[in-house]
Short mmCIF file of all heavy atoms in Angstrom, two decimals:
data_model
loop_
_atom_site.label_atom_id
_atom_site.label_comp_id
_atom_site.label_asym_id
_atom_site.label_seq_id
_atom_site.Cartn_x
_atom_site.Cartn_y
_atom_site.Cartn_z
N GLN A 1 -6.99 -68.24 11.60
CA GLN A 1 -8.02 -67.46 10.90
C GLN A 1 -9.36 -68.16 10.85
O GLN A 1 -10.26 -67.58 10.28
CB GLN A 1 -7.48 -67.06 9.57
CG GLN A 1 -6.18 -66.20 9.64
CD GLN A 1 -5.69 -65.74 8.30
OE1 GLN A 1 -6.45 -65.68 7.34
NE2 GLN A 1 -4.41 -65.39 8.27
N SER A 2 -9.43 -69.39 11.32
CA SER A 2 -10.67 -70.10 11.40
C SER A 2 -10.58 -71.10 12.53
O SER A 2 -9.55 -71.16 13.20
CB SER A 2 -10.98 -70.84 10.09
OG SER A 2 -10.14 -72.00 9.93
N ASP A 3 -11.63 -71.92 12.76
CA ASP A 3 -11.58 -72.87 13.80
C ASP A 3 -10.97 -74.20 13.38
O ASP A 3 -10.96 -75.16 14.13
CB ASP A 3 -12.99 -73.10 14.40
CG ASP A 3 -13.95 -73.67 13.36
OD1 ASP A 3 -13.55 -73.84 12.19
OD2 ASP A 3 -15.11 -73.95 13.72
N THR A 4 -10.48 -74.23 12.13
CA THR A 4 -9.94 -75.51 11.55
C THR A 4 -8.50 -75.27 11.09
O THR A 4 -8.22 -74.28 10.43
CB THR A 4 -10.81 -75.99 10.41
OG1 THR A 4 -12.18 -76.15 10.83
CG2 THR A 4 -10.30 -77.33 9.87
N LEU A 5 -7.65 -76.23 11.41
CA LEU A 5 -6.26 -76.12 11.01
C LEU A 5 -5.70 -77.51 10.78
O LEU A 5 -6.28 -78.51 11.18
CB LEU A 5 -5.39 -75.36 12.04
CG LEU A 5 -5.28 -75.98 13.45
CD1 LEU A 5 -3.91 -75.66 14.03
CD2 LEU A 5 -6.39 -75.49 14.34
N ARG A 6 -4.55 -77.55 10.14
CA ARG A 6 -3.82 -78.79 9.93
C ARG A 6 -2.41 -78.59 10.47
O ARG A 6 -1.79 -77.52 10.33
CB ARG A 6 -3.78 -79.18 8.42
CG ARG A 6 -5.13 -79.61 7.92
CD ARG A 6 -5.01 -80.08 6.45
NE ARG A 6 -6.31 -80.42 5.90
CZ ARG A 6 -6.88 -81.61 5.99
NH1 ARG A 6 -6.25 -82.57 6.63
NH2 ARG A 6 -8.07 -81.83 5.47
N ILE A 7 -1.85 -79.63 11.05
CA ILE A 7 -0.54 -79.59 11.68
C ILE A 7 0.32 -80.69 11.03
O ILE A 7 -0.12 -81.86 10.97
CB ILE A 7 -0.58 -79.73 13.20
CG1 ILE A 7 -1.46 -78.66 13.82
CG2 ILE A 7 0.82 -79.71 13.79
CD1 ILE A 7 -1.69 -78.83 15.29
N VAL A 8 1.52 -80.38 10.64
CA VAL A 8 2.45 -81.34 10.14
C VAL A 8 3.75 -81.22 10.96
O VAL A 8 4.25 -80.11 11.14
CB VAL A 8 2.79 -81.13 8.65
CG1 VAL A 8 3.82 -82.15 8.16
CG2 VAL A 8 1.54 -81.23 7.82
N PHE A 9 4.28 -82.38 11.44
CA PHE A 9 5.55 -82.37 12.13
C PHE A 9 6.59 -83.04 11.23
O PHE A 9 6.36 -84.11 10.69
CB PHE A 9 5.45 -83.14 13.47
CG PHE A 9 4.69 -82.38 14.54
CD1 PHE A 9 3.36 -82.58 14.74
CD2 PHE A 9 5.38 -81.45 15.33
CE1 PHE A 9 2.65 -81.88 15.68
CE2 PHE A 9 4.68 -80.74 16.28
CZ PHE A 9 3.36 -80.95 16.46
N VAL A 10 7.75 -82.38 11.11
CA VAL A 10 8.81 -82.89 10.21
C VAL A 10 10.09 -82.95 10.96
O VAL A 10 10.51 -81.99 11.64
CB VAL A 10 8.98 -81.91 9.01
CG1 VAL A 10 10.05 -82.45 8.07
CG2 VAL A 10 7.66 -81.73 8.28
N ASP A 11 10.73 -84.12 10.87
CA ASP A 11 12.10 -84.27 11.46
C ASP A 11 13.07 -84.17 10.24
O ASP A 11 13.12 -85.06 9.39
CB ASP A 11 12.25 -85.63 12.12
CG ASP A 11 13.68 -85.87 12.70
OD1 ASP A 11 14.51 -84.98 12.50
OD2 ASP A 11 13.89 -86.94 13.29
N ARG A 12 13.84 -83.11 10.21
CA ARG A 12 14.75 -82.84 9.05
C ARG A 12 16.17 -83.35 9.32
O ARG A 12 17.07 -83.05 8.54
CB ARG A 12 14.77 -81.38 8.74
CG ARG A 12 13.41 -80.95 8.11
CD ARG A 12 13.40 -79.47 7.78
NE ARG A 12 12.19 -79.12 7.02
CZ ARG A 12 11.65 -77.90 6.94
NH1 ARG A 12 12.28 -76.90 7.56
NH2 ARG A 12 10.55 -77.70 6.24
N GLY A 13 16.36 -84.06 10.42
CA GLY A 13 17.67 -84.65 10.68
C GLY A 13 17.86 -85.93 9.89
O GLY A 13 17.00 -86.38 9.12
N PRO A 14 19.02 -86.63 10.11
CA PRO A 14 19.32 -87.89 9.41
C PRO A 14 18.22 -88.90 9.70
O PRO A 14 17.82 -89.08 10.86
CB PRO A 14 20.65 -88.30 10.01
CG PRO A 14 21.29 -87.07 10.46
CD PRO A 14 20.16 -86.19 10.96
N GLY A 15 17.72 -89.60 8.71
CA GLY A 15 16.67 -90.55 8.88
C GLY A 15 15.40 -89.92 9.33
O GLY A 15 14.60 -90.54 10.09
N GLY A 16 15.12 -88.72 8.90
CA GLY A 16 13.99 -87.95 9.33
C GLY A 16 12.65 -88.64 9.15
O GLY A 16 12.49 -89.57 8.35
N ASP A 17 11.66 -88.13 9.85
CA ASP A 17 10.31 -88.75 9.85
C ASP A 17 9.30 -87.63 9.57
O ASP A 17 9.60 -86.40 9.68
CB ASP A 17 10.04 -89.39 11.16
CG ASP A 17 8.88 -90.39 11.09
OD1 ASP A 17 8.37 -90.60 10.02
OD2 ASP A 17 8.45 -90.87 12.18
N LEU A 18 8.07 -88.08 9.29
CA LEU A 18 7.02 -87.11 8.98
C LEU A 18 5.76 -87.64 9.67
O LEU A 18 5.44 -88.78 9.74
CB LEU A 18 6.74 -87.10 7.46
CG LEU A 18 5.82 -86.00 6.90
CD1 LEU A 18 6.50 -84.65 7.03
CD2 LEU A 18 5.52 -86.29 5.44
N LEU A 19 5.04 -86.62 10.30
CA LEU A 19 3.77 -86.98 10.96
C LEU A 19 2.70 -86.04 10.45
O LEU A 19 2.87 -84.78 10.56
CB LEU A 19 3.93 -86.81 12.49
CG LEU A 19 2.66 -87.01 13.34
CD1 LEU A 19 2.23 -88.43 13.30
CD2 LEU A 19 2.81 -86.52 14.74
N PRO A 20 1.64 -86.55 9.81
CA PRO A 20 1.40 -87.93 9.50
C PRO A 20 2.16 -88.37 8.25
O PRO A 20 2.71 -87.57 7.54
CB PRO A 20 -0.14 -87.98 9.20
CG PRO A 20 -0.43 -86.60 8.67
CD PRO A 20 0.51 -85.68 9.39
N ASN A 21 2.18 -89.66 8.02
CA ASN A 21 2.99 -90.19 6.95
C ASN A 21 2.61 -89.63 5.60
O ASN A 21 3.44 -89.45 4.69
CB ASN A 21 2.94 -91.75 6.93
CG ASN A 21 3.69 -92.35 8.11
OD1 ASN A 21 4.63 -91.73 8.62
ND2 ASN A 21 3.24 -93.50 8.52
N GLY A 22 1.30 -89.39 5.41
CA GLY A 22 0.87 -88.85 4.11
C GLY A 22 1.27 -87.44 3.85
O GLY A 22 1.33 -87.00 2.69
N GLY A 23 1.64 -86.69 4.93
CA GLY A 23 2.11 -85.30 4.76
C GLY A 23 1.07 -84.30 4.61
O GLY A 23 1.33 -83.07 4.36
N ASN A 24 -0.24 -84.65 4.68
CA ASN A 24 -1.36 -83.71 4.51
C ASN A 24 -1.73 -83.04 5.84
O ASN A 24 -2.64 -82.16 5.84
CB ASN A 24 -2.56 -84.36 3.89
CG ASN A 24 -2.31 -84.83 2.47
OD1 ASN A 24 -1.61 -84.13 1.72
ND2 ASN A 24 -2.83 -85.95 2.08
N GLY A 25 -1.11 -83.45 6.92
CA GLY A 25 -1.38 -82.80 8.18
C GLY A 25 -2.43 -83.47 9.01
O GLY A 25 -3.28 -84.20 8.51
N VAL A 26 -2.36 -83.28 10.30
CA VAL A 26 -3.34 -83.75 11.28
C VAL A 26 -4.43 -82.65 11.37
O VAL A 26 -4.14 -81.49 11.71
CB VAL A 26 -2.73 -84.01 12.62
CG1 VAL A 26 -3.76 -84.38 13.69
CG2 VAL A 26 -1.65 -85.07 12.55
N LEU A 27 -5.68 -83.06 11.03
CA LEU A 27 -6.77 -82.08 11.10
C LEU A 27 -7.18 -81.86 12.54
O LEU A 27 -7.33 -82.75 13.35
CB LEU A 27 -7.93 -82.62 10.28
CG LEU A 27 -9.19 -81.72 10.24
CD1 LEU A 27 -8.87 -80.48 9.42
CD2 LEU A 27 -10.38 -82.47 9.63
N TYR A 28 -7.38 -80.54 12.87
CA TYR A 28 -7.79 -80.19 14.26
C TYR A 28 -8.80 -79.07 14.15
O TYR A 28 -8.60 -78.15 13.37
CB TYR A 28 -6.57 -79.72 15.07
CG TYR A 28 -6.91 -79.52 16.56
CD1 TYR A 28 -6.81 -80.55 17.45
CD2 TYR A 28 -7.30 -78.27 16.97
CE1 TYR A 28 -7.11 -80.34 18.79
CE2 TYR A 28 -7.63 -78.03 18.33
CZ TYR A 28 -7.54 -79.10 19.20
OH TYR A 28 -7.86 -78.93 20.53
N VAL A 29 -9.92 -79.24 14.89
CA VAL A 29 -10.95 -78.23 14.92
C VAL A 29 -11.08 -77.74 16.37
O VAL A 29 -11.30 -78.54 17.28
CB VAL A 29 -12.28 -78.77 14.40
CG1 VAL A 29 -13.38 -77.71 14.50
CG2 VAL A 29 -12.19 -79.33 13.01
N PHE A 30 -10.96 -76.46 16.54
CA PHE A 30 -11.08 -75.87 17.88
C PHE A 30 -12.52 -76.09 18.39
O PHE A 30 -13.48 -75.90 17.68
CB PHE A 30 -10.78 -74.38 17.88
CG PHE A 30 -9.35 -74.04 17.77
CD1 PHE A 30 -8.90 -73.21 16.73
CD2 PHE A 30 -8.42 -74.51 18.66
CE1 PHE A 30 -7.55 -72.90 16.60
CE2 PHE A 30 -7.05 -74.20 18.53
CZ PHE A 30 -6.61 -73.38 17.52
N ASP A 31 -12.59 -76.46 19.65
CA ASP A 31 -13.88 -76.57 20.34
C ASP A 31 -14.10 -75.32 21.12
O ASP A 31 -13.37 -75.02 22.07
CB ASP A 31 -13.87 -77.77 21.27
CG ASP A 31 -15.21 -77.97 22.00
OD1 ASP A 31 -16.07 -77.13 21.85
OD2 ASP A 31 -15.33 -78.95 22.70
N ASN A 32 -15.03 -74.47 20.68
CA ASN A 32 -15.20 -73.17 21.32
C ASN A 32 -16.27 -73.21 22.42
O ASN A 32 -16.67 -72.11 22.90
CB ASN A 32 -15.64 -72.15 20.24
CG ASN A 32 -14.50 -71.85 19.29
OD1 ASN A 32 -13.37 -71.60 19.72
ND2 ASN A 32 -14.76 -71.92 18.00
N SER A 33 -16.72 -74.35 22.83
CA SER A 33 -17.70 -74.41 23.93
C SER A 33 -16.99 -74.02 25.25
O SER A 33 -15.80 -74.23 25.40
CB SER A 33 -18.29 -75.79 24.04
OG SER A 33 -17.29 -76.79 24.26
N PRO A 34 -17.74 -73.43 26.15
CA PRO A 34 -17.12 -72.98 27.42
C PRO A 34 -16.48 -74.14 28.19
O PRO A 34 -16.98 -75.25 28.17
CB PRO A 34 -18.29 -72.38 28.19
CG PRO A 34 -19.31 -72.08 27.14
CD PRO A 34 -19.17 -73.12 26.09
N VAL A 35 -15.41 -73.85 28.88
CA VAL A 35 -14.75 -74.80 29.75
C VAL A 35 -14.85 -74.29 31.17
O VAL A 35 -15.01 -73.09 31.41
CB VAL A 35 -13.27 -75.01 29.37
CG1 VAL A 35 -13.20 -75.59 27.97
CG2 VAL A 35 -12.51 -73.70 29.45
N PRO A 36 -14.83 -75.20 32.13
CA PRO A 36 -14.87 -74.76 33.53
C PRO A 36 -13.74 -73.78 33.82
O PRO A 36 -12.60 -74.01 33.36
CB PRO A 36 -14.76 -76.07 34.36
CG PRO A 36 -15.17 -77.12 33.39
CD PRO A 36 -14.72 -76.67 32.03
N PRO A 37 -13.99 -72.74 34.61
CA PRO A 37 -12.93 -71.79 34.91
C PRO A 37 -11.84 -72.45 35.74
O PRO A 37 -12.12 -73.31 36.57
CB PRO A 37 -13.62 -70.68 35.72
CG PRO A 37 -14.86 -71.36 36.26
CD PRO A 37 -15.25 -72.37 35.23
N LEU A 38 -10.60 -72.08 35.50
CA LEU A 38 -9.47 -72.59 36.27
C LEU A 38 -9.46 -71.94 37.63
O LEU A 38 -9.48 -70.71 37.73
CB LEU A 38 -8.15 -72.31 35.54
CG LEU A 38 -6.87 -72.79 36.20
CD1 LEU A 38 -6.81 -74.32 36.15
CD2 LEU A 38 -5.64 -72.17 35.55
N ALA A 39 -9.43 -72.74 38.64
CA ALA A 39 -9.41 -72.19 40.02
C ALA A 39 -8.08 -71.45 40.27
O ALA A 39 -7.02 -71.96 39.92
CB ALA A 39 -9.53 -73.30 41.04
N SER A 40 -8.21 -70.24 40.80
CA SER A 40 -7.00 -69.45 41.13
C SER A 40 -6.44 -69.96 42.45
O SER A 40 -7.14 -70.15 43.41
CB SER A 40 -7.39 -67.98 41.19
OG SER A 40 -6.24 -67.21 41.58
N LEU A 41 -5.14 -70.22 42.45
CA LEU A 41 -4.49 -70.72 43.67
C LEU A 41 -4.19 -69.54 44.61
O LEU A 41 -3.63 -68.54 44.17
CB LEU A 41 -3.22 -71.47 43.33
CG LEU A 41 -3.36 -72.69 42.43
CD1 LEU A 41 -1.98 -73.32 42.19
CD2 LEU A 41 -4.25 -73.73 43.02
N THR A 42 -4.47 -69.73 45.90
CA THR A 42 -4.15 -68.71 46.83
C THR A 42 -2.65 -68.69 47.10
O THR A 42 -1.93 -69.74 46.94
CB THR A 42 -4.87 -68.90 48.15
OG1 THR A 42 -4.44 -67.91 49.11
CG2 THR A 42 -4.59 -70.32 48.75
N LEU A 43 -2.09 -67.53 47.49
CA LEU A 43 -0.69 -67.46 47.85
C LEU A 43 -0.53 -67.79 49.32
O LEU A 43 0.62 -67.94 49.83
CB LEU A 43 -0.14 -66.06 47.58
CG LEU A 43 0.49 -65.78 46.23
CD1 LEU A 43 -0.49 -66.07 45.12
CD2 LEU A 43 1.03 -64.37 46.14
N ARG A 44 -1.61 -67.93 50.05
CA ARG A 44 -1.57 -68.15 51.49
C ARG A 44 -1.32 -69.63 51.86
O ARG A 44 -1.62 -70.55 51.06
CB ARG A 44 -2.85 -67.69 52.19
CG ARG A 44 -3.20 -66.26 51.84
CD ARG A 44 -2.13 -65.26 52.20
NE ARG A 44 -2.55 -63.89 52.01
CZ ARG A 44 -1.77 -62.87 51.78
NH1 ARG A 44 -0.46 -63.08 51.72
NH2 ARG A 44 -2.25 -61.67 51.62
N ARG A 45 -0.85 -69.90 53.04
CA ARG A 45 -0.71 -71.27 53.55
C ARG A 45 -2.10 -71.85 53.84
O ARG A 45 -2.99 -71.14 54.27
CB ARG A 45 0.12 -71.28 54.82
CG ARG A 45 1.61 -70.94 54.67
CD ARG A 45 2.22 -70.74 56.04
NE ARG A 45 3.65 -70.65 55.98
CZ ARG A 45 4.31 -69.52 55.74
NH1 ARG A 45 3.64 -68.41 55.51
NH2 ARG A 45 5.64 -69.49 55.77
N GLN A 46 -2.19 -73.18 53.71
CA GLN A 46 -3.40 -73.88 54.14
C GLN A 46 -3.45 -73.96 55.68
O GLN A 46 -4.53 -73.94 56.25
CB GLN A 46 -3.43 -75.32 53.58
CG GLN A 46 -3.64 -75.34 52.10
CD GLN A 46 -3.57 -76.77 51.55
OE1 GLN A 46 -3.13 -77.71 52.29
NE2 GLN A 46 -3.93 -76.94 50.35
N ALA A 47 -2.30 -73.97 56.29
CA ALA A 47 -2.20 -73.99 57.78
C ALA A 47 -0.97 -73.17 58.19
O ALA A 47 0.06 -73.24 57.53
CB ALA A 47 -2.10 -75.39 58.32
N GLU A 48 -1.12 -72.41 59.25
CA GLU A 48 -0.03 -71.50 59.65
C GLU A 48 1.23 -72.24 60.02
O GLU A 48 2.33 -71.68 59.97
CB GLU A 48 -0.55 -70.58 60.77
CG GLU A 48 -1.49 -69.51 60.32
CD GLU A 48 -0.84 -68.59 59.26
OE1 GLU A 48 0.29 -68.19 59.41
OE2 GLU A 48 -1.56 -68.32 58.27
#
């Protein structure tokens, strides 16, 4: 719902772990600047 989010990874198995250790999440901000277009791959052979 915005360009900013936090991510937390939790291992709930035996001896589980938390990322990040503080538990407040990894801050991530989307970069909305344009990126180079992905080249479309041809279905054809490069050589017959």
